[in-house]
């Protein structure tokens, strides 16, 4: 039976993005509401782990704060200082929709440190795999610019830690958050030793990022793999992309560690996207990535929580992921499953095949992506 680590800290829920409506600040005709990136989705996921009984079967691993030197693996000193200063003041924007509240700097250090802690625990063999329930998220954060609710790029820093400190030669990052992982892509766009793959809804956020033609540069050509998918893609479309592109490329890259940027905002009820993945779909995707990890790196897999903005549904999608990682099933069934009845989430459409085929065509000069018989 697998030993799955779980990394979380109460302070993650104390990162304050203020009031708003979706991602907008209140004012004018925008009435005050709850900001999309609020603690509810993550806190309710943790609560579900506990009431389902799964939490007691996980290995609790206490996160440590990342050091400033570790944050500098990706971020510039001036940007780090900006986040620190805004945090001391009590509120501000570290870039583009990257809100900083009182104490957010210290929490963001602990969030990045949570991702590092997860990687350390898995690489050392303390646990077989690990889920880091961190906040604030990270995958949009650029080297000198916060973006899309993200302050420090947790996954990029953790992947660089695996390379720089733990000495791994090949790290794979799979980002299935529904929004393109632009910051993580930037971190490794010229690095042939890190394979970055992003599955995301096309033309969503950030504008102009995540095109299939964006494949890396120099010796890292082909090490960036963008798989934009059309709105309405469900379980079958995501699994098709994993089978046709991600699996064959991973087989050739042979990672020593796989890190997932696990944003559950491709879920059916998410207010900031238009995909149709359900909890079972996230379970299937996790099973696929576990099989890759077992095949290439003795099961070494880390999942770091990113987006997901349906407080009601994200907990069930995330629970399915951790159930699959741990090999443990609870008596929790997806209570929203009936809402999917009759919807074609398990049907693969030609338009989804066409999007994946384009990625294969673009990447074929760098990887063997022959069509399967």
């Amino acid at each position: 039976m697998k030993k799955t680590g779980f990394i979380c800290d109460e302070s993650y829920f104390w990162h304050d993005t203020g009031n708003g409506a979706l991602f907008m600040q209140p004012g004018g005709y925008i009435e005050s509401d709850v900001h999309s990136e609020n603690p509810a989705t993550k806190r309710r996921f943790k609560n579900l782990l506990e009431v389902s009984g799964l939490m007691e079967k996980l290995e609790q691993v206490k996160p440590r704060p990342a050091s400033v030197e570790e944050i500098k693996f990706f971020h510039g000193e001036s940007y780090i200082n900006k986040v620190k200063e805004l945090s001391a003041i009590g509120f501000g924007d570290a870039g583009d929709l990257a809100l900083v509240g009182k104490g957010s700097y210290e929490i963001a250090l602990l969030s990045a440190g949570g991702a590092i802690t997860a990687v350390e625990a898995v690489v050392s063999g303390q646990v077989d795999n690990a889920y880091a329930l961190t906040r604030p998220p990270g995958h949009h954060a650029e080297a000198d610019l916060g973006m899309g609710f993200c302050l420090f790029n947790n996954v990029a820093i953790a992947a660089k830690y695996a390379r720089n400190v733990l000495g791994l030669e090949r790290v794979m990052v799979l980002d299935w958050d529904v929004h393109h992982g632009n910051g993580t892509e930037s971190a490794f766009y010229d690095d042939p030793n890190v394979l970055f793959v992003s599955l995301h809804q096309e033309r969503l956020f950030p504008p102009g990022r995540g095109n299939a033609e964006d494949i890396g540069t120099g010796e890292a050509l082909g090490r960036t793999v963008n798989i934009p998918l059309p709105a309405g893609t469900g379980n079958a479309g995501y699994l098709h992309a994993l089978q046709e592109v991600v699996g064959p490329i991973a087989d050739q890259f042979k990672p020593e560690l796989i890190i997932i940027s696990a944003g559950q905002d491709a879920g059916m009820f998410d207010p900031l996207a238009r995909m149709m993945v359900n909890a079972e779909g996230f379970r299937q995707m996790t099973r696929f990535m576990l099989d890759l990890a077992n095949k290439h790196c003795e099961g070494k897999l880390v999942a770091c929580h990113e987006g997901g903005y349906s407080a009601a549904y994200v907990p069930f999608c995330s629970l399915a992921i951790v159930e699959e990682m741990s090999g443990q099933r609870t008596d929790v069934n997806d209570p929203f499953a009936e809402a999917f009845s009759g919807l074609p989430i398990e049907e693969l459409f030609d338009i989804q095949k066409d999007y994946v085929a384009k990625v294969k065509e673009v990447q074929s000069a760098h990887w063997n992506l022959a069509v399967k018989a």
Side-chain angles (χ1 to χ4, degrees):
M1 186 175 296
K2 288 185 178 299
K3 183 186 291 185
T4 295
F6 184 73
I7 292 88
C8 190
D9 190 272
E10 173 63 24
S11 68
Y12 293 154
F13 308 122
W14 293 16
H15 166 57
D16 184 10
T17 52
N19 296 325
L22 293 177
F23 51 84
M24 298 293 290
Q25 295 298 293
Y29 290 110
I30 300 176
E31 184 177 353
S32 182
D33 195 5
V34 178
H35 192 278
S36 290
E37 212 302 290
N38 67 79
T41 53
K42 296 177 174 68
R43 191 186 291 277
R44 287 166 66 119
F45 167 36
K46 181 173 180 286
N47 291 344
L48 186 59
L49 285 172
E50 290 175 347
V51 300
S52 69
L54 184 55
M55 184 72 85
E56 63 191 44
K57 299 175 182 177
L58 305 177
E59 181 85 8
Q60 305 297 311
V61 183
K62 184 176 176 59
R64 64 166 177 84
S67 68
V68 171
E69 290 306 311
E70 289 165 345
I71 300 295
K72 286 181 181 178
F73 285 161
F74 179 49
H75 295 287
E77 185 172 5
S78 62
Y79 173 69
I80 297 170
N81 289 335
K82 179 179 181 178
V83 175
K84 185 176 182 179
E85 290 165 6
L86 290 174
S87 175
I89 293 169
F91 198 75
D93 192 335
D96 180 5
L97 302 176
L99 299 181
V100 179
K102 188 74 172 177
S104 289
Y105 172 73
E106 289 79 12
I107 298 171
L109 290 179
L110 190 61
S111 186
I116 290 174
T117 300
V119 165
E120 284 182 319
V122 168
V123 172
S124 70
Q126 178 183 351
V127 295
D128 297 298
N129 55 52
Y131 195 103
L133 180 57
T134 53
R135 181 173 179 267
H139 74 145
H140 291 309
E142 298 279 358
D144 295 302
L145 182 75
M147 184 181 290
F149 316 148
C150 301
L151 299 183
F152 299 142
N153 197 313
N154 305 324
V155 164
I157 292 165
K160 285 180 177 288
Y161 184 89
R163 292 269 298 117
N164 298 349
V165 179
L166 302 181
L168 300 190
E169 293 185 9
R170 296 177 306 282
V171 176
M172 175 180 181
V173 176
L174 177 85
D175 189 326
W176 70 39
D177 188 290
V178 81
H179 307 101
H180 178 250
N182 58 287
T184 314
E185 177 186 273
S186 297
F188 303 111
Y189 206 65
D190 60 354
D191 186 345
N193 297 104
V194 176
L195 172 64
F196 172 72
V197 184
S198 179
L199 295 91
H200 49 271
Q201 183 179 329
E202 65 161 346
R203 300 177 184 175
L204 189 55
F205 182 85
R209 299 296 297 269
N211 301 307
E213 295 82 4
D214 299 335
I215 62 170
T217 188
E219 294 183 359
L221 281 172
R223 296 299 197 269
T224 291
V225 182
N226 281 303
I227 311 176
L229 296 168
T233 297
N235 298 356
Y238 270 81
L239 197 58
H240 177 69
L242 291 173
Q243 292 169 340
E244 290 293 310
V245 178
V246 179
I249 288 178
D251 287 345
Q252 295 166 73
F253 182 71
K254 294 180 172 55
E256 297 171 299
L257 170 70
I258 297 175
I259 304 175
I260 299 174
S261 274
Q264 277 66 270
D265 38 12
M268 179 71 171
F269 302 108
D270 202 275
L272 298 185
R274 294 294 179 267
M275 296 309 225
M276 296 174 64
V277 180
N278 68 359
E280 179 58 29
F282 283 105
R283 187 187 303 279
Q284 294 169 11
M285 291 159 63
T286 304
R287 177 72 265 157
F288 186 91
M289 296 309 298
L290 282 168
D291 287 344
L292 278 184
N294 289 333
K295 184 176 183 180
H296 296 295
C297 45
E298 299 178 320
K300 292 182 174 63
L301 180 124
V302 170
C304 293
H305 203 101
E306 296 280 4
Y309 306 100
S310 171
Y313 199 51
V314 164
F316 296 98
C317 297
S318 303
L319 178 72
I321 293 168
V322 178
E323 282 184 335
E324 200 65 25
M325 291 177 69
S326 65
Q328 301 276 351
R329 293 298 290 264
T330 69
D331 63 359
V332 176
N333 294 313
D334 182 353
F336 297 91
E338 189 174 343
F340 294 91
S341 179
L343 296 178
I345 62 174
E346 300 291 355
E347 184 175 349
L348 182 63
F349 291 90
D350 287 342
I351 187 172
Q352 296 159 7
K353 293 180 184 178
D354 291 344
Y355 274 66
V356 172
K358 179 181 178 180
V359 175
K360 294 175 69 172
E361 181 180 358
V362 169
Q363 291 284 355
S364 62
H366 309 285
W367 306 100
N368 179 10
L369 295 171
V371 177
K372 296 176 182 177

